[in-house]
Amino acid sequence: MDDNPTTLRQINSNTRYCALIGYPVRHSASPAFQNAGMMAMGLNWRYLALEVCPENIETAIAGAKSMGFVGLNLTVPHKESAFKLVDEVSESSQILKSINTIKFEGLNTNGNWQPIQEFQNEYPKQIKSIGYNTDAEAIPKAIKEELGFDFIHSKILILGAGGAGRVAALRLAKEGIDTLYIVNRTQEKAERLRNEISHYYPSIKIKLGYPELSAKIDLIINATSLGLKSNDPLPCDLSSFSFKQTQFAFDMIYRPARTPFLAYAENAGCKIANGMNMLLYQGVESLKIWSGESVPVEIMRKALIENIYPKQS
Ligand code: ATR
């Protein structure tokens, strides 16, 4: 532990590393809020962002493992390939077949596995990688907290059945929902997702396509990438769906803070939230997994907000 937990320590030979691996990764906010958290915890750790192309993901994970990294975060497009590359996966990520967090553990002289950072003098020869999906838990947590949303018996429309939409739908299926509508540009992906969900959660009603215009739902979620760019079309078709049909709207996008999707929803009277807290909570959970300690959530939230919504001067 640091003597003065508010001071960023000089990097030295005891500094330990975590990293986000993605492609691209240069605009990530994770280093800002993870380093703020690590610093406040008094850890002599650093969090890096490393751009790794899909062809090199296997060697990148192996390199981090052999160089004593505490752990990794994975982002697009590595979450599914990393799932196949780690030595073990957490129980909850087995259904998802996708991970965004890796923790490294070493085998000690007593034959027990322990977090890699606890080896003070000599690195263990045997190291294993364990995969987790902290995105999944962050989705219902952010929606419940920000919107005060109650999932029990709810009717939800999810736009997008790509990587993010699939994990969201599979995770929300555990929350006691009644009906899930899935809309995706590529129909086969929506069908595959429906089949996966009905295999694990047979009691949920799953419908492909929009609800009838006369039907009410409770929550619409944008899990597509539409809204990231200013000239993107809306992720939903306004001739098939009216925002008056729902009470709540959640956009996984956090930059811009208010996408046209959220603006439409708010104008129609919906309670809205963007993906900022989802990003925060997946990171908080990763840092908890790596450190085994409680994490300064508010300090990390502040650092994240300053990074993604810098004040215009
Ligand atoms: P992520 O991991 O961020 O979810 P992804 O797996 O590439 O990234 O998924 C992107 C999502 O946005 C998908 O649902 C994608 O639809 P397809 O499955 O049909 O590709 C959706 N999307 C991206 N661009 C789109 C566009 N121009 N129109 C409609 N949907 C789009």
Side-chain angles (χ1 to χ4, degrees):
M1 293 292 273
D2 207 334
D3 304 333
N4 180 355
T6 59
T7 312
L8 191 63
R9 273 188 168 193
Q10 291 284 326
I11 289 178
N12 58 30
S13 51
N14 285 320
T15 306
R16 296 287 163 259
Y17 298 94
C18 294
L20 170 67
I21 296 184
Y23 189 75
V25 83
R26 284 174 206 202
H27 299 290
S28 170
S30 293
F33 75 91
Q34 288 287 4
N35 282 310
M38 290 170 178
M39 185 168 76
M41 291 166 79
L43 296 166
N44 183 12
W45 293 10
R46 290 293 189 285
Y47 185 99
L48 313 169
L50 306 174
E51 203 155 272
V52 174
C53 65
E55 292 73 18
N56 291 334
I57 184 65
E58 186 165 4
T59 43
I61 293 174
K65 184 182 191 178
S66 59
M67 289 191 289
F69 274 55
V70 170
L72 296 172
N73 276 145
L74 293 313
T75 188
V76 177
H78 300 314
K79 295 180 186 186
E80 287 83 19
S81 46
F83 177 85
K84 296 184 192 136
L85 292 169
V86 289
D87 300 314
E88 290 175 15
V89 290
S90 69
E91 204 185 324
S92 58
S93 60
Q94 277 169 12
I95 288 179
L96 305 172
K97 300 183 183 69
S98 158
I99 56 166
N100 74 323
T101 303
I102 296 176
K103 178 189 186 188
F104 295 110
E105 288 187 352
L107 195 62
N108 65 23
T109 47
N110 298 328
N112 298 318
W113 293 101
Q114 70 183 88
I116 198 74
Q117 67 272 17
E118 291 176 8
F119 290 80
Q120 297 296 341
N121 300 317
E122 207 179 316
Y123 268 138
K125 291 199 177 50
Q126 241 180 301
I127 301 172
K128 71 173 176 181
S129 50
I130 310 160
Y132 302 82
N133 193 314
T134 68
D135 289 331
E137 293 310 312
I139 298 164
K141 182 172 165 63
I143 293 174
K144 280 181 204 170
E145 195 178 283
E146 272 196 279
L147 297 177
F149 187 75
D150 181 4
F151 282 99
I152 302 294
H153 306 312
S154 63
K155 294 181 169 60
I156 299 176
L157 164 59
I158 187 157
L159 307 167
R166 181 180 160 276
V167 165
L170 279 162
R171 177 59 189 83
L172 296 184
K174 273 173 44 176
E175 291 287 321
I177 65 179
D178 177 83
T179 308
L180 185 65
Y181 296 89
I182 305 172
V183 169
N184 196 56
R185 175 180 58 178
T186 311
Q187 188 67 4
E188 299 93 273
K189 277 199 223 170
E191 285 167 10
R192 226 178 301 142
L193 180 55
R194 175 190 55 192
N195 296 344
E196 273 189 283
I197 299 172
S198 30
H199 175 73
Y200 293 109
Y201 307 97
S203 62
I204 296 179
K205 299 176 201 118
I206 305 173
K207 302 188 178 172
L208 298 188
Y210 291 96
E212 298 279 312
L213 270 167
S214 57
K216 290 274 181 209
I217 61 163
D218 302 296
L219 169 67
I220 181 170
I221 299 174
N222 177 34
T224 75
S225 48
L226 294 176
L228 284 170
K229 290 189 243 120
S230 58
N231 57 350
D232 277 343
L234 267 188
C236 57
D237 171 12
L238 292 182
S239 64
S240 305
F241 180 78
S242 156
F243 282 98
K244 297 264 182 222
Q245 288 177 257
T246 181
Q247 273 183 282
F248 297 91
F250 183 79
D251 199 330
M252 289 200 179
I253 293 172
Y254 54 87
R255 195 162 39 196
R258 194 176 142 93
T259 54
F261 168 83
L262 289 183
Y264 264 96
E266 195 168 43
N267 288 341
C270 299
K271 196 165 176 192
I272 62 167
N274 72 18
M276 188 203 82
N277 279 327
M278 203 183 109
L279 174 67
L280 173 69
Y281 292 137
Q282 63 76 34
V284 163
E285 193 54 33
S286 295
L287 185 50
K288 245 188 237 172
I289 288 170
W290 295 324
S291 67
E293 293 174 26
S294 64
V295 166
V297 181
E298 291 317 314
I299 287 172
M300 292 172 76
R301 192 192 310 271
K302 185 167 174 285
L304 172 60
I305 291 171
E306 282 169 6
N307 182 275
I308 58 177
Y309 309 129
K311 290 210 173 64
Q312 312 289 330
S313 55

